[in-house]
Structures are given as C-alpha cells and as structure tokens.
Amino acid sequence: MRLDKYLSQSGERSRSEAGKLIRSGAVRVDGQVVLRPETQLSAQSVVTLAGETVEDSSMQYVMLHKPAGVLTAVRDSRAQTVMDLVPEALKRRKVLPVGRLDKDTTGLLLLTNDGELAHRLLSPARHVWKQYRATVEGRLTQADVDAFAAGLQLSDFTAKPARLSIVEADDARSVALVEVHEGKFHQVKRMFAAVGHEVTALHRHSFGTLALPQDLPVGACRPLTDEEVQALRECTALKNESKDKGPSDGRGTTNG
Ligand code: URA
C-alpha cells in the first residue's frame, strides 16, 4: 500500500494532508525519514509519525488452505493452530478465523479483522452456502440425496435442507459434494451419520462466493482480492439493505 493512503486510512486526515506530513519530514518508515507520498509499504513496514507508531487500521482479509491436524483456534497450549500459519503482520492486525473447521477438516478458511463482515457471514439470517467434498464409508444412494434435501432430524435440531450430489459410490466408500448453509458443530459429519455414513475425510471448497483456488498449497494463505471482498459483502447483504442484491440468508454457530 502507498504511504499516503496508509496514513490517511489510519488517522482522520485526507490523502493530501497525509502527503504534506510526509513531505514535511515527520514520517519515518522502518526508522528512515521518507519524503515521497507514493512510497510503497510492505506488510512488515513500521510507520512512525513524530516518533509515534501509526497502527494500520485497514481491514485485512486472507484465505487459508487449512491442513488436517491444525486447530481452528487463536491459541492452544499443545496443538498447532491456524494462527501459526498466518504471517505475523496479519496477526498484529488482529485477523481472526471466520467460523471454524474441525481439526481433521481441510480446505478454505477465511480470516479477517472485519468484524462486521465476519458477523454477517456467520449470521443464521443470511444463508451463506458452504460447499464441502466428503468421503464417507459405504454406498451413498438417491435416498440419501433426498434425505439431505428434505432436512435431516438430528438429536437436537432439524438441519435445514442441504444439497448432496454423489460423485462416486461403491459398497466400501463414496465421495459426494455437499452444500449447507448452516454451521452447527460437526454439522456435515452429523448429517452423514444420521443417514448411516461415517465421514472419513472432509474438505471445504467454498464459503459463500469465495472458492479455494486450486493453486493455493496446503498450509498457505493469500490476501483476498478487492473483487473477492466485494462479492462476499454482496452475498451477505439482506434484501432490505440493497435493492439489487440476490437472495440472502445465513448459517449457524460453530462450524463454518
Ligand atoms: N461440518 C463438519 O462436520 N465439520 C467441519 O469441519 C465443517 C462442517
């Protein structure tokens, strides 16, 4: 990001006021006076104004290709957490996971410090669809597809209708794509258990409009593009908040 943009975003000043401050010699980047407003900062740059550190208050959005065996938690005394896979500069900017994936679940996890967007993405009022690829024990059949579409009765709640599409099926094992717009604890695993199939692997492909790119290596993260952020905002808008937005809804509490 440009230095003048960073300064104007971080304080109550316009871009041209930020430019004047920079040209006056009051701003340092990594200890060096910098006089050019267009100077590019890296994620690690430390900016000071009259000796005081200027914190970056910009919103940060990052997607992580979560590996198996990593906890979706901010810290844990024993296990590796998703925060261990996020660069220090983003941790300093207080990005947090949006919802959670189980320790053995792989795939797309969004992290951000945009509390409002995170809240919208997790809100049961805005049915944000998530797509998973599930490998399960036993043969999946059309009866399972119908049961998911009807809404499954679990021990403590009835799961909302979900889309199940069988990719391959034999007596030992099946693979399916499943789309849900709730996020209750172990939701997908519990839905399969309710129709008699144990999940042996679960991978999240997409979250709302955001899809895990095929070239993002396991354990790696990358910032969202402006277009990806905008699309997420639009898919979480309620109908009465915008006339030109599509259907809105949401999902539950724990898995996400
Ligand atoms: N449903 C699950 O059962 N586990 C996850 O990690 C995500 C959704």
Side-chain angles (χ1 to χ4, degrees), residues 20-89:
K20 275 188 205 147
L21 276 173
I22 296 163
R23 281 188 289 270
S24 77
V27 178
R28 289 174 185 253
V29 177
D30 299 330
Q32 302 295 314
V33 173
V34 169
L35 297 172
R36 288 174 33 249
E38 65 275 21
T39 302
Q40 288 292 333
L41 301 174
S42 75
Q44 281 74 35
S45 300
V46 176
V47 178
T48 56
L49 171 60
E52 298 282 318
T53 303
V54 180
E55 298 296 342
D56 181 1
S57 59
S58 62
M59 297 299 181
Q60 304 292 325
Y61 308 87
V62 63
M63 64 165 83
L64 170 70
H65 187 161
K66 181 191 170 298
V70 175
L71 277 186
T72 309
V74 174
R75 67 185 70 81
D76 188 84
S77 54
R78 286 177 304 224
Q80 190 184 24
T81 75
V82 291
M83 298 309 288
D84 296 325
L85 301 172
V86 169
E88 276 305 317

Side-chain angles (χ1 to χ4, degrees), residues 100-102 105 132 186-189 202 255:
R100 68 184 289 281
L101 294 175
D102 294 337
T105 300
Y132 297 85
H186 295 330
Q187 171 135 6
V188 174
K189 291 176 185 164
L202 192 60
N255 280 125

Side-chain angles (χ1 to χ4, degrees), residues 12-231:
E12 306 233 325
R13 58 182 78 85
S14 68
R15 196 83 165 247
S16 68
E17 286 165 343
K20 275 188 205 147
L21 276 173
I22 296 163
R23 281 188 289 270
S24 77
V27 178
R28 289 174 185 253
V29 177
D30 299 330
Q32 302 295 314
V33 173
V34 169
L35 297 172
R36 288 174 33 249
E38 65 275 21
T39 302
Q40 288 292 333
L41 301 174
S42 75
Q44 281 74 35
S45 300
V46 176
V47 178
T48 56
L49 171 60
E52 298 282 318
T53 303
V54 180
E55 298 296 342
D56 181 1
S57 59
S58 62
M59 297 299 181
Q60 304 292 325
Y61 308 87
V62 63
M63 64 165 83
L64 170 70
H65 187 161
K66 181 191 170 298
V70 175
L71 277 186
T72 309
V74 174
R75 67 185 70 81
D76 188 84
S77 54
R78 286 177 304 224
Q80 190 184 24
T81 75
V82 291
M83 298 309 288
D84 296 325
L85 301 172
V86 169
E88 276 305 317
L90 286 171
K91 282 194 244 179
R92 279 203 302 275
R93 285 162 202 178
K94 299 193 168 44
V95 300
L96 295 172
V98 179
R100 68 184 289 281
L101 294 175
D102 294 337
K103 190 173 178 186
D104 57 353
T105 300
T106 58
L108 176 63
L109 184 69
L110 172 68
L111 298 100
T112 183
N113 57 0
D114 182 342
E116 189 188 338
L117 182 66
H119 177 76
R120 284 170 173 242
L121 287 164
L122 298 176
S123 161
R126 305 166 202 255
H127 300 179
V128 174
W129 287 91
K130 275 104 16 178
Q131 190 194 57
Y132 297 85
R133 186 184 65 236
T135 307
V136 304
E137 286 182 351
R139 182 184 290 276
L140 287 170
T141 65
Q142 184 60 39
D144 299 316
V145 175
D146 296 343
F148 272 59
L152 284 160
Q153 180 61 54
L154 304 182
S155 60
D156 51 345
F157 75 103
T158 305
K160 297 247 164 42
R163 305 169 188 149
L164 180 65
S165 112
I166 300 171
V167 177
E168 55 186 69
D170 65 35
D171 287 346
R173 137 194 195 284
S174 303
V175 177
L177 297 177
V178 56
E179 289 177 89
V180 295
H181 65 76
E182 295 175 290
K184 301 272 195 327
F185 189 57
H186 295 330
Q187 171 135 6
V188 174
K189 291 176 185 164
R190 291 183 64 198
M191 288 168 73
F192 278 108
V195 290
H197 297 276
E198 188 179 333
V199 172
T200 55
L202 192 60
H203 176 85
R204 183 157 69 187
H205 282 300
S206 68
F207 184 13
T209 50
L210 195 62
L212 186 69
Q214 287 190 346
D215 60 357
L216 188 65
V218 179
C221 57
R222 75 141 167 85
L224 267 55
T225 63
D226 290 347
E227 291 74 24
E228 286 168 334
V229 174
Q230 186 56 28

